[in-house]
Amino acid sequence: MLFKPISQNFNDFVIDRDKERCINCEVCVRQCSYEAHFWDDARQCVMHDNTKCVGCHRCEALCPTGCLTIKKNPADFRDNALWTPTYMKHIYKQGDTGGILLSGMGSPSAKPIYWDNLQLDASQVTNPSIDPLREPMELRTYLGSKPDKVEVEETPEGPRLKTKIGPQIKLEYPMMFSAMSFGSINFNLHKAMAMAATELGIVYNTGEGGLHPTLYKYGANTIVQVASGRFGVHKDYLNAGAAIEIKVGQGAKPGIGGHLPGEKIDEEVSKTRMVPVGSDAISPAPHHDIYSIEDLLQLIYALKEATEYRVPVSVKIAAVHNAPAIASGIVRAGADIVVLDGFRGGTGAAPTMIRDNVGIPVELALAQVDNRLRDEGIRNWASLVVAGGTRCSADVIKAIALGADAVYIATSALVAVGCTLCGRCYTGKCPWGIATNEARLKKRQNPEIAAKRLTNLVKAWGHEIQEMLGGMGLNSIESLRGNRDKLRGIGLNEVELDILGVKHAGR
Amino acid sequence: MRRVYPNKDFCIGCHICELACLTAHSESKDLIIAVREEQASGLRPCKAVYEKGPVCVSLSCRHCENPTCVTACISGALYKDEETGKTKYDESKCVGCWSCLMACPFGAIRRNPSKGKIIKCDLCEGRDMPACVQACPNAALSYEDR
Amino acid sequence: MTYVIVGNGVASVGAIEGIRKLDKEGRIIVVSEENTPTYGRPLISYFLAGKIGLDRMSLRPDDYYEKNNIELKLGSRVTALDPGKKTITLASGESLGYDKLLLATGGIPFMPPIKGLEGSGIYNFTTLAHAETLIQLSQAIRKVVVIGGGLIGLKAAEGLFDNGLSVTIVELAPRVLSAAFDDVAGKLVSNRLENEGLHIRCGNTVEEVLRGDNGDVVGVRLTNGDVLECEAVVVAIGVVPSLCPAKEAGLNIRRGIKVDDYLQTSAADVYAAGDAAEAYDMIMDDARVTPIWPNAYSQGYYAGMNMTEKKKEKHPGGLAMNAIAFYGMATASLGLVNPAPEDGCDVFTYVDEERQAYRKLVFRNDKLIGYVLVGDIDFAGLYTGFVRFQLPLTDEVKQDLKDGQPSALLWPEHDFETRWTPECE
Ligand SMILES: Cc1cc2nc3c(=O)[nH]c(=O)nc-3n(C[C@H](O)[C@H](O)[C@H](O)COP(=O)(O)OP(=O)(O)OC[C@H]3O[C@@H](n4cnc5c(N)ncnc54)[C@H](O)[C@@H]3O)c2cc1C
Ligand code: SF4
Ligand code: SF4
Ligand code: SF4
Ligand code: SF4
Ligand code: SF4
């Protein structure tokens, strides 16, 4: 194309418009925030520029005649197992710009997804399966530190728990909406998550962008996050939620901080984050007051003091090489919940190289952390939560069988409200109105609709989890937790089976 | 009575409601034919989407309690249905004087240029849910009794 | 409660509907000189032109009077009113008592003092009967002169032309339609009419109607001395309030029957509405006779409601408006369109010669108080909203209006929120 660098001319997608059906209504023109469709005055019809398409499928979804198909560009480079088009295009782009490559959403790279190599068990003749439609099936989950032993005393009214149990988060489903900061996604979705979490009896996480004043009323279903930038953190904020989470690392970009570009900081974001309008909000890579487990301990207890020990404190780390040792340290430092975020975890923006090459699969980290905490006899001190790439209820139930208490869902929540994983969150032009604060785009998410869809998703997964539990002859999620005997591996080698602590499917 | 209420906070300005209205009031009931053929011969949607900066809203006849259009109609084509509360329109009586179009302070009346008669929202006579409300992808229109 | 309504035009229908909204029981008697159920008076031009038949004339369904329990006395002229005794007298000598009376007597054609105007061959165009007469006349003659280039005159001329007559319009002002519309609109419309084949003589009036030996009309002589041949003359210079029986009864009258904000005349329990009344006009901020259909209906409606004594509703005030189309050229005019220099108005005009489109907006104190549109009238209602609700305009909004882009989103937030949500009425 004229006036365009080659990196753009090797476009990823082609827009196929069926002229038989197109009525030139310009719905696509108005929907595409990348201006790939346009009204062509000369030809008096709607036209398009393939090089601008990011493959978000918004136009296709809204085209009232269904005449659009967004296709992969069939133009092939010569086959080369090493030099795939992805790498070549990266290089063209960097040749053009000299800048680092940026990406949005979790890593799409073709690396093992262990969930797919794990199969669940089901009861047959003995220990018969349970029908969740007829029998009670417990999904309720409590997150927080559990005592080493419990003492019960007899009272005239019956037995009573004598042991004092620390603060817990009560979940009606073993799922939570993961941290996505206000700013990276917009207010409408924060509101939707808050509404859905309240309706479902679960919690959502504010992310590191603070909590909008109008959302304080959903506090009982909110986890407030404290990250290295400390945006929007103050006493009321800390006391607003059902738990506090210290974010140390993020699966999509372990080892680096965050950068919310000034364009995304509007009036509301500015107020909530407590940063000036239009200025970049930079989260440093480390917390500048945490250089050791002891420092972390201090922060955990500072937060507990600030909230008078009313709420549990969680610590979130990226799943990296020494996760088990780190997790053990975190638990010993007083965390009530440890969150492991795998390398498939989503992000609003991450350097592509880091996203695709740093960190380890969360399945492996989870199994190892669970093992380590058990071995040290401190597994009950903290709950374990995994995040990063949970695509379906089977992934959730497998995570729980591997040792998790609950999972965080983020990408699947976004997909539920329309995200097509086009991966251009960092542009701030999300055509689905998700990763954007632009007034004309963010209203594409109507919180009423989004909340309904999120609620539907979690309820649907809940039903499926109940079915699968019933199939295994279990009547509560509690009975599955860390019960790896309910899992078998296929297509895994000895080492992988050993790390995951599961038998091969043939055994 | 049940009316169509716009919500300008969540109207995304897609104009799909207009297309739905057009189709619902077409002969063919087929979007493509309605736009390509029937619109060319005068069919228009009763709905209109307005835009200003990032704000959009889709409006149509609000079926006023005391409608000025009825007051202005010289032919008796426009009238208030006492039972349903709707501001109704009998096309066979309209002479195309455009008095109502001028009198309605909400700009809710359009012209069918070929027929020389007006076009006005009838809340989709014969449908359970007005087409615009049903088609809106963002629930920016609601049909309710407030 | 006995309500008597004199006249059976649209003001009368408005009154019936206003009364029946609040009083389903009271006795309503309608007395009218015309012998038909209420018809769309402006429709007579469509009838004359052959666009509609008699079957489409009536304004309301056939069972309207029965359903609303109305006693109709058609073909009866009211000759006297005694507000003291609360009675009216009909031409037949019959006398009727009332608790509340509405004078909705409408207007009568204005007949200027022109030599030779008395006698045969002179017609008006304000009633269905007139239209029927003109249709018959069209069969018999070939040439006609219409005096008056206002709305009624042009409509009569158009109808007669459509009946195959050669028509000349004589208008005193330099342009047709210059009162209700303006010069530019008048020019566009007269071009249109002339293209169709009508003749227009502006800046002239008829000095004398010329008659042959047998007294038949043979032509007219204009003030400039020109003589136009014709076999009939239609006088359509406008209507004046029909003041019988109000005048004889001593009601307060200026041009029309003076009424207060509640449409009550100077006499207790006597109301007036429509073309006969002189009522408050929201833009002029003064009492006016505005002989137009929507005002007649709404004044009737408010008078009716107030007559029931169940509610006391102030009429929001009249608003002049006219929409009229000639051979596909649509025009609309509303509010104050020809302000005097001392009115301190800011007038914007835009003409698109090629598309034969014209837009004139009249602003006063950052409000829109009137407009004229020719050609593109689709946005008329949106402009009307700004006038009707007297919405305050910022410079930016003014510009959008001037650019021909009125929009409901230009309304002040509060007005949008309250007025667009119908439950707030
Ligand atoms: C040809 C034509 C075209 C028009 N076009 C338009 C238009 O496009 N838009 C618009 O807004 N307006 C138009 N008008 C004006 C509009 O028709 C009048 O404003 C409206 O009809 C007035 O209604 P009304 O009820 O006040 O009076 P009318 O309709 O005049 O009714 C009065 C009635 O009272 C009767 N009456 C009078 N005196 C007595 C008495 N003493 N006893 C018994 N009965 C009596 C009369 O016979 C008549 O039936 C037009 C008028 C004409 C003639
Ligand atoms: S939305 Fe579909 S029908 Fe409308 S202009 Fe675009 S491609 Fe054509
Ligand atoms: S970027 Fe999205 S909306 Fe734009 S053309 Fe591509 S798929 Fe369609
Ligand atoms: S057309 Fe206008 S005046 Fe008539 S009911 Fe609808 S909104 Fe009201
Ligand atoms: S255009 Fe038709 S509906 Fe409107 S006022 Fe005239 S006759 Fe009545
Ligand atoms: S369909 Fe809905 S969102 Fe789209 S323009 Fe109409 S009201 Fe707005």
Side-chain angles (χ1 to χ4, degrees):
Chain A
M1 291 278 269
L2 207 51
F3 311 126
K4 289 222 167 104
I6 51 170
S7 63
Q8 281 176 46
N9 285 339
F10 295 131
N11 44 287
D12 291 333
F13 298 96
V14 285
I15 297 167
D16 181 354
R17 188 188 322 273
D18 179 357
K19 285 278 178 192
E20 276 288 298
R21 304 178 60 83
C22 174
I23 53 174
N24 288 307
C25 64
E26 296 185 73
V27 166
C28 51
V29 177
R30 294 182 203 100
Q31 289 304 307
C32 181
S33 48
Y34 294 94
E35 292 163 7
H37 299 271
F38 58 92
W39 175 256
D40 185 335
D41 233 0
R43 293 177 181 77
Q44 285 292 303
C45 67
V46 171
M47 285 289 282
H48 53 265
D49 174 352
N50 289 331
T51 64
K52 289 184 170 168
C53 176
V54 306
C56 75
H57 296 266
R58 175 76 184 180
C59 55
E60 190 182 273
L62 267 83
C63 168
T65 64
C67 75
L68 282 173
T69 315
I70 303 300
K71 295 180 172 163
K72 240 163 82 178
N73 188 350
D76 275 330
F77 293 95
R78 183 176 292 280
D79 280 343
N80 190 318
L82 181 65
W83 288 100
T84 62
T86 307
Y87 290 107
M88 292 163 67
K89 287 179 186 175
H90 282 167
I91 291 175
Y92 294 136
K93 196 176 279 172
Q94 292 187 299
D96 285 341
T97 65
I100 62 169
L101 298 165
L102 274 184
S103 293
M105 296 317 293
S107 176
S109 58
K111 291 181 181 164
I113 301 163
Y114 288 96
W115 304 127
D116 294 341
N117 298 83
L118 294 170
Q119 290 296 103
L120 291 165
D121 191 18
S123 309
Q124 296 304 307
V125 181
T126 58
N127 183 20
S129 46
I130 301 169
D131 182 351
L133 294 176
R134 291 162 201 269
E135 315 273 338
M137 184 66 69
E138 190 64 57
L139 295 185
R140 185 175 293 165
T141 301
Y142 289 92
L143 301 183
S145 178
K146 310 290 186 297
D148 291 334
K149 63 174 197 288
V150 287
E151 277 183 76
V152 178
E153 64 183 359
E154 289 296 337
T155 70
E157 293 92 50
R160 212 178 60 93
L161 201 57
K162 221 171 125 191
T163 320
K164 210 171 143 359
I165 301 202
Q168 305 283 324
I169 306 176
K170 179 177 163 188
L171 302 174
E172 297 301 335
Y173 297 87
M175 289 171 257
M176 303 181 285
F177 298 122
S178 196
M180 290 176 276
S181 71
F182 173 39
S184 75
I185 62 171
N186 59 56
F187 174 77
N188 291 338
L189 283 170
H190 260 231
K191 182 165 179 199
M193 286 197 294
M195 286 163 66
T198 305
E199 156 94 24
L200 290 162
I202 63 170
V203 297
Y204 84 103
N205 190 310
T206 60
E208 60 172 310
L211 180 62
H212 193 273
T214 58
L215 299 182
Y216 273 66
K217 60 172 185 265
Y218 299 101
N221 298 83
T222 307
I223 296 181
V224 295
Q225 197 178 58
V226 174
S228 61
R230 302 285 152 89
F231 297 118
V233 177
H234 50 80
K235 187 157 179 272
D236 292 343
Y237 171 76
L238 294 175
N239 279 289
I244 300 175
E245 180 169 284
I246 301 168
K247 174 193 166 186
V248 174
Q250 185 176 339
K253 42 181 176 180
I256 65 164
H259 178 176
L260 189 68
E263 300 84 70
K264 275 190 161 182
I265 314 265
D266 64 10
E267 196 65 44
E268 293 299 312
V269 175
S270 145
K271 261 197 288 179
T272 308
R273 286 207 176 213
M274 309 193 303
V275 296
V277 175
S279 69
D280 292 8
I282 301 193
S283 309
H287 284 251
H288 285 299
D289 51 0
I290 304 180
Y291 286 87
S292 63
I293 288 293
E294 290 71 24
D295 289 346
L296 178 64
L297 179 144
Q298 276 198 2
L299 180 58
I300 290 172
Y301 279 92
L303 295 174
K304 288 189 173 187
E305 285 289 337
T307 53
E308 295 168 341
Y309 297 84
R310 280 185 306 101
V311 297
V313 171
S314 160
V315 175
K316 173 177 176 177
I317 55 165
V320 289
H321 302 179
N322 283 318
I326 302 163
S328 161
I330 291 171
V331 173
R332 289 174 190 283
D336 305 299
I337 300 163
V338 179
V339 181
L340 299 169
D341 192 14
F343 81 114
R344 298 274 182 193
T347 174
T352 312
M353 288 305 119
I354 290 178
R355 184 192 68 170
D356 293 349
N357 296 288
V358 182
I360 63 169
V362 77
E363 302 91 319
L364 307 180
L366 167 61
Q368 284 305 301
V369 169
D370 183 56
N371 284 354
R372 174 72 171 257
L373 298 182
R374 283 172 194 247
D375 291 349
E376 293 185 12
I378 58 171
R379 177 63 183 83
N380 58 309
W381 290 12
S383 294
L384 254 184
V385 173
V386 294
T390 322
R391 302 156 299 172
C392 59
S393 57
D395 290 354
V396 176
I397 204 165
K398 288 171 192 174
I400 289 170
L402 272 184
D405 289 273
V407 303
Y408 261 139
I409 58 174
T411 304
S412 33
L414 297 186
V415 172
V417 300
C419 168
T420 54
L421 295 171
C422 74
R424 293 297 185 278
C425 322
Y426 58 91
T427 64
K429 292 204 280 196
C430 175
W432 288 90
I434 299 168
T436 175
N437 294 314
E438 246 185 65
R440 67 173 70 240
L441 297 175
K442 70 180 175 191
K443 66 181 170 182
R444 294 182 181 184
Q445 289 295 335
N446 180 338
E448 300 284 339
I449 301 180
K452 181 81 199 136
R453 298 186 66 86
L454 294 174
T455 310
N456 282 347
L457 175 75
V458 172
K459 282 192 174 156
W461 285 15
H463 289 309
E464 290 175 341
I465 291 170
Q466 287 180 330
E467 290 284 350
M468 288 182 278
L469 279 178
M472 289 184 268
L474 303 176
N475 65 2
S476 96
I477 194 84
E478 207 52 52
S479 319
L480 183 69
R481 200 151 277 134
N483 188 347
R484 299 190 200 169
D485 197 34
K486 296 290 184 201
L487 294 172
R488 289 290 185 276
I490 45 172
L492 297 175
N493 63 32
E494 281 293 336
V495 181
E496 289 167 326
L497 289 168
D498 178 48
I499 290 168
L500 288 167
V502 299
K503 291 188 186 131
H504 195 275
R507 297 201 182 225
Chain B
M1 71 172 287
R2 274 175 103 189
R3 292 180 165 100
V4 175
Y5 290 90
N7 179 344
K8 67 180 165 43
D9 292 341
F10 295 108
C11 172
I12 61 174
C14 63
H15 295 241
I16 285 176
C17 46
E18 292 178 352
L19 296 170
C21 177
L22 193 80
T23 309
H25 292 88
S26 68
E27 291 280 321
S28 62
K29 308 286 177 220
D30 177 296
L31 171 60
I32 299 175
I33 297 173
V35 171
R36 288 205 187 141
E37 293 163 27
E38 300 186 48
Q39 187 162 257
S41 56
L43 187 67
R44 297 282 179 278
C46 315
K47 211 86 216 165
V49 178
Y50 298 95
E51 282 170 46
K52 184 177 171 243
V55 184
C56 311
V57 71
S58 167
L59 302 170
S60 51
C61 169
R62 62 202 269 295
H63 295 269
C64 308
E65 191 78 32
N66 291 310
T68 14
C69 60
V70 172
T71 312
C73 179
I74 60 167
S75 71
L78 284 164
Y79 61 99
K80 198 79 189 159
D81 184 327
E82 294 303 333
E83 258 156 58
T84 59
K86 292 179 186 173
T87 303
K88 284 206 177 164
Y89 166 56
D90 176 355
E91 190 184 85
S92 70
K93 297 199 82 179
C94 174
V95 294
C97 68
W98 317 133
S99 300
C100 54
L101 181 144
M102 165 186 60
C104 166
F106 299 96
I109 295 178
R110 331 217 93 73
R111 291 191 283 175
N112 179 324
S114 336
K115 278 195 187 166
K117 294 184 184 262
I118 63 150
I119 289 171
K120 190 190 82 68
C121 163
D122 59 352
L123 290 173
C124 284
E125 206 64 62
R127 284 180 77 100
D128 290 342
M129 182 61 81
C132 54
V133 178
Q134 199 185 344
C136 176
N138 211 32
L141 293 170
S142 60
Y143 186 46
E144 56 186 296
D145 208 340
R146 277 197 189 164
Chain C
M1 186 82 96
T2 300
Y3 306 93
V4 174
I5 302 173
V6 185
N8 192 26
V10 67
S12 174
V13 166
I16 291 171
E17 290 168 9
I19 295 170
R20 282 289 176 250
K21 185 185 163 108
L22 302 174
D23 180 357
K24 302 266 187 267
E25 306 294 312
R27 185 171 172 212
I28 303 180
I29 307 168
V30 173
V31 188
S32 180
E33 193 178 354
E34 271 189 276
N35 211 356
T36 41
T38 309
Y39 57 90
R41 190 168 305 284
L43 290 183
I44 63 172
S45 62
Y46 296 82
F47 177 64
L48 173 62
K51 290 177 187 154
I52 60 171
L54 270 182
D55 57 313
R56 276 176 60 185
M57 292 301 291
S58 35
L59 186 62
R60 292 291 182 259
D62 294 343
D63 59 357
Y64 179 75
Y65 296 100
E66 200 186 306
K67 264 198 172 161
N68 282 294
N69 196 12
I70 310 292
E71 295 169 40
L72 262 187
K73 285 185 182 292
L74 297 181
S76 332
R77 180 173 167 81
V78 174
T79 50
L81 154 65
D82 185 338
K85 288 208 201 111
K86 296 184 128 186
T87 56
I88 55 164
T89 313
L90 312 188
S92 63
E94 190 188 342
S95 161
L96 284 175
Y98 64 81
D99 294 315
K100 299 280 172 184
L101 178 72
L102 177 70
L103 297 174
T105 48
I108 43 174
F110 174 62
M111 296 299 271
I114 293 175
K115 211 170 143 195
L117 207 57
E118 287 88 43
S120 65
I122 310 296
Y123 302 89
N124 291 121
F125 187 54
T126 60
T127 65
L128 184 55
H130 292 154
E132 284 173 324
T133 309
L134 290 180
I135 291 175
Q136 278 168 16
L137 182 71
S138 307
Q139 318 288 324
I141 65 166
R142 283 184 39 252
K143 283 189 173 171
V144 63
V145 164
V146 175
I147 305 179
L151 292 160
I152 298 180
L154 294 189
K155 274 291 163 191
E158 186 192 27
L160 290 165
F161 181 79
D162 288 349
N163 274 291
L165 299 191
S166 160
V167 182
T168 306
I169 299 156
V170 180
E171 165 63 51
L172 180 63
R175 291 246 194 277
V176 297
L177 283 183
S178 50
F181 285 72
D182 70 352
D183 258 19
V184 186
K187 181 78 196 148
L188 287 167
V189 169
S190 54
N191 285 350
R192 184 74 211 219
L193 293 174
E194 283 175 333
N195 282 345
E196 293 292 327
L198 287 93
H199 308 288
I200 298 177
R201 302 293 294 264
C202 284
N204 250 316
T205 190
V206 172
E207 204 170 62
E208 182 182 358
V209 177
L210 306 174
R211 293 182 182 271
D213 297 340
N214 60 356
D216 286 353
V217 172
V218 294
V220 295
R221 197 180 58 246
L222 306 184
T223 32
N224 68 352
D226 287 359
V227 170
L228 306 174
E229 248 182 63
C230 66
E231 297 141 84
V233 174
V234 176
V235 182
I237 306 190
V239 293
V240 290
S242 171
L243 299 174
C244 169
K247 196 167 179 183
E248 293 79 357
L251 302 192
N252 192 355
I253 286 166
R254 193 162 67 175
R255 281 201 56 221
I257 308 168
K258 295 272 279 175
V259 291
D260 62 13
D261 288 345
Y262 303 93
L263 287 318
Q264 188 163 356
T265 66
S266 56
D269 299 322
V270 180
Y271 293 73
D275 287 8
E278 186 169 330
Y280 179 74
D281 182 288
M282 60 177 290
I283 298 297
M284 301 304 175
D285 194 20
D286 189 16
R288 293 273 148 154
V289 175
T290 315
I292 58 159
W293 180 271
N295 279 7
Y297 179 92
S298 92
Q299 288 170 1
Y301 187 79
Y302 276 79
M305 288 199 297
N306 289 330
M307 282 157 70
T308 64
E309 286 182 349
K310 300 205 159 121
K311 216 171 180 177
K312 208 164 149 67
E313 285 265 4
K314 235 183 181 165
H315 188 262
L319 180 57
M321 56 172 98
N322 287 288
I324 189 163
F326 298 96
Y327 299 108
M329 173 182 268
T331 66
S333 126
L334 182 138
L336 179 64
V337 293
N338 288 306
E342 64 271 19
D343 290 341
C345 293
D346 163 16
V347 178
F348 167 85
T349 56
Y350 166 85
V351 190
D352 184 336
E353 291 281 351
E354 204 173 309
R355 289 174 48 237
Q356 292 281 291
Y358 172 57
R359 175 162 73 244
K360 173 185 196 171
L361 303 176
V362 181
F363 300 96
R364 185 176 65 200
N365 301 335
D366 291 323
K367 306 244 171 78
L368 184 66
I369 59 162
Y371 67 79
V372 176
L373 300 173
V374 178
D376 295 339
I377 64 155
D378 294 276
F379 290 141
L382 290 170
Y383 287 113
T384 302
F386 284 94
V387 182
R388 161 80 61 195
F389 303 128
Q390 284 295 286
L391 304 174
L393 309 174
T394 61
D395 286 346
E396 200 188 324
V397 172
K398 241 181 176 173
Q399 193 54 49
D400 284 338
L401 296 186
K402 290 178 180 174
D403 291 344
Q405 286 163 348
S407 151
L409 288 176
L410 300 177
W411 290 26
E413 186 71 21
H414 175 76
D415 286 286
F416 183 91
E417 293 299 340
T418 53
R419 296 189 193 281
W420 265 102
T421 37
E423 88 276 15
C424 301
E425 283 181 330

